[in-house]
Amino acid sequence: MNIRALRKTESAPMDLLLDADPSQTLVEDYLSRGICYVAEIGNHIVGVYVLLPTRPDTIELVNIAILKQEQGKGFGKTLVLDAVNQARARGYKTVEIGTGNSSIQQLALYQKCGFRICGIDVDFFIRHYSEDIYENGIHCRDMIRLYQDL
Ligand code: COA
């Protein structure tokens, strides 16, 4: 798998990005302010993530997604670790990430990649999304905030 920054002339893999965040408005906002990376096997895009500078020295990993048929093969973990390395190489001191209280797999993955929980944005998904989100039989209401010092 080859991971590279999306070229300015290329369009972002929107369907894949919307798997990570159902809000087209938020995804487009992240794309306009962040750096989009794609993971390819041959010339087929199988994964994506966006790094979004938020504060001085801090960058956030947003919109990470792997194509459904390629999930569970370790590609997600490879992308998270690549994002951390990119952030370090760009001189950032902290990487942050946020996920839903119902996103059990993502919470496992991020902690396995060295992230620690630092807070909860209570009712984030109630405030920002018009539709109710359920995963693993759990109502997604709160955003769990995680960070990693570089
Ligand atoms: N409990 C514990 N660990 C779990 C788990 C669970 N229920 N489900 C998965 N994991 C672990 C795996 O065991 C693996 O760890 P390991 O390498 O130590 O075994 C780790 O999670 C990552 O697995 P990986 O195969 O690399 O993940 P993936 O390629 O399937 O990608 C996502 C993970 C989240 C990117 C992918 O599922 C996806 O695109 N989901 C839809 C979009 C999304 O939700 N994005 C995140 C928004 S916050």
Side-chain angles (χ1 to χ4, degrees):
M1 187 171 63
N2 178 45
I3 305 172
R4 62 170 178 86
L6 192 74
R7 287 184 277 272
K8 292 221 183 321
T9 50
E10 292 175 298
S11 47
M14 241 6 228
D15 288 353
L16 205 43
L17 288 161
L18 289 169
D19 273 353
D21 187 330
S23 165
Q24 178 127 5
T25 313
L26 280 183
V27 171
E28 280 170 2
D29 176 56
Y30 294 153
L31 282 172
S32 70
R33 295 189 289 129
I35 315 151
C36 183
Y37 291 85
V38 289
E40 292 173 317
I41 295 177
N43 51 15
H44 188 52
I45 293 178
V46 296
V48 67
Y49 70 82
V50 177
L51 278 175
L52 182 72
T54 51
R55 295 189 298 278
D57 296 337
T58 302
I59 199 158
E60 183 161 344
L61 172 54
V62 292
N63 291 133
I64 180 162
I66 298 290
L67 214 58
K68 274 200 179 54
Q69 59 268 33
E70 300 293 345
Q71 289 177 10
K73 300 179 181 176
F75 295 151
K77 197 172 187 178
T78 302
L79 257 63
V80 173
L81 296 174
D82 186 79
V84 170
N85 285 335
Q86 286 291 345
R88 187 181 291 113
R90 287 172 180 270
Y92 287 92
K93 301 279 188 290
T94 306
V95 194
E96 294 185 340
I97 194 161
T99 194
N101 59 283
S102 52
S103 300
I104 306 297
Q105 184 206 352
Q106 290 79 348
L107 282 166
L109 167 61
Y110 302 148
Q111 290 177 87
K112 283 179 177 182
C113 291
F115 284 84
R116 296 193 53 190
I117 292 174
C118 57
I120 301 171
D121 192 342
V122 173
D123 281 338
F124 175 90
F125 292 95
I126 305 290
R127 278 183 277 116
H128 293 283
Y129 294 79
S130 51
E131 312 247 309
D132 280 349
I133 305 169
Y134 278 84
E135 290 174 299
N136 303 301
I138 304 167
H139 190 185
C140 181
R141 282 190 282 232
D142 309 319
M143 181 183 277
I144 310 296
R145 301 290 313 167
L146 301 101
Y147 79 102
Q148 182 168 161
D149 286 332
L150 300 173

